[in-house]
Amino acid sequence: MSISPPTPADRQAPAAAFNPPTSRELFTGFLVLGMTAFGGALPLAHRMVVERRRWLSEEEFVQLLGLCQFLPGGNIINLSVALGMKFRGLRGALAAIFGLIAVPSAVVVVLGIIYQHFQHDPNVRHLFAGLAAAAAGLLIQMAVKIALPLRRNLVLAVLAIVCFIAIAFVRIPLVWVMLVMTPISVVLTARFGDRFSAKDKVAK
């Protein structure tokens, strides 16, 4: 039984499913994200980039977030710059970062002034404790979503579990885990990643 080669339309189908944003869309997208992502920007960024606007696939988002995690600075800040650079270069990076920080910067200044006057109020302390709990829940939800694609590759899944145990239970500082595990992850993935891929097993 012969299998016909894929047509040009078939080759373009996966790419057509995703929509590269313009600089204006990057600005407005991250502007809305900055206005709504109080206490949990990364989960909402994942929802906006992958699920709603379809700028990236799930795998591309995980890879880009991994790069942002390795770089110094806040993950969401790094993500906005990296995403802007990926699609629109320097102009896109500036549009994304300014959109992200415009509203939060103004809000933080106002809240900082208010907090100075009411920081000893028990109700204010309870408010911030509740916000912290909600932010933790959002982060856990996002962690589960970005970890799901790793289950297709045994090597990546094992590496992620080792990093989690080292940081969460052994209490090794994050910087040392990254310095040790990053080169190990690159080498193991390059040499053995394809051998343990679930897709490859199904094809065979």
Side-chain angles (χ1 to χ4, degrees):
M1 180 178 179
S2 61
I3 300 176
S4 60
T7 64
D10 294 333
R11 296 191 188 100
Q12 295 177 0
F18 299 95
N19 307 307
T22 64
S23 296
R24 181 175 181 178
E25 289 173 336
L26 285 166
F27 177 81
T28 56
F30 279 97
L31 180 67
V32 174
L33 180 64
M35 291 188 294
T36 57
F38 289 90
L42 281 176
L44 295 180
H46 174 272
R47 186 177 302 172
M48 177 189 74
V49 173
V50 177
E51 299 175 5
R52 293 182 177 175
R53 298 182 181 249
R54 296 184 63 80
W55 292 344
L56 297 176
S57 67
E58 190 76 48
E59 290 77 9
E60 289 173 329
F61 182 86
V62 171
Q63 293 171 2
L64 193 62
L65 182 60
L67 173 63
C68 296
Q69 179 72 36
F70 183 76
L71 298 174
N75 290 335
I76 186 61
I77 298 293
N78 294 341
L79 181 65
S80 66
V81 174
L83 197 64
M85 287 293 297
K86 174 180 175 64
F87 291 114
R88 300 297 169 186
L90 180 59
R91 182 177 180 180
L94 293 174
I97 188 64
F98 281 121
L100 180 67
I101 67 175
V103 174
S105 298
V107 172
V108 166
V109 171
V110 174
L111 289 179
I113 296 173
I114 296 175
Y115 184 73
Q116 286 182 346
H117 295 85
F118 301 100
Q119 58 181 321
H120 300 296
D121 189 331
N123 294 325
V124 174
R125 294 183 179 179
H126 294 160
L127 172 63
F128 279 91
L131 291 174
L138 289 171
L139 288 175
I140 293 173
Q141 178 259 354
M142 186 208 66
V144 172
K145 278 193 173 183
I146 66 173
L148 288 177
L150 300 181
R151 75 187 188 277
R152 304 172 187 170
N153 190 300
L154 181 60
V155 173
L156 297 179
V158 171
L159 290 171
I161 293 173
V162 170
C163 292
F164 174 76
I165 293 174
I167 297 172
F169 297 102
V170 186
R171 301 289 183 176
I172 300 176
L174 176 61
V175 63
W176 294 114
V177 174
M178 293 175 62
L179 290 175
V180 173
M181 292 303 299
T182 298
I184 294 176
S185 301
V186 172
V187 172
L188 291 180
T189 303
R191 294 189 61 181
F192 306 109
D194 293 337
R195 299 183 186 180
F196 297 95
S197 174
K199 291 183 178 180
D200 292 341
K201 289 184 178 180
V202 172
K204 293 179 181 178

